[in-house]
Amino acid sequence: NISNPSSPVFAGFLNLATNTDALTVSISGTNLFLGQGNSFYSINISNPASPAISGVYNAGGTINDISNIFSVNNCRCFCAN
């Protein structure tokens, strides 16, 4: 929680079952997109105290960057590996 930027407070966490560091992260509304190894995670963060995995995609190679493109009706993510 960064409602008071001079005194941030830990809000919650999500334990991903891997030893690989996340290389990239992006956010759109209440969705957080995370690139970790060859996995692309979509994570619902509407409740910051209890984030939940919405979906996982195996990209077949290390995800080094995520870019979001927004339109009126949807969000598309592009991953670079």
Side-chain angles (χ1 to χ4, degrees), residues 46-62:
S46 59
N47 178 358
S50 183
I53 296 173
S54 302
V56 181
Y57 173 74
N58 183 330
T62 301

Side-chain angles (χ1 to χ4, degrees), residues 1-12:
N1 181 342
I2 57 170
S3 57
N4 180 355
S6 65
S7 183
V9 177
F10 186 77

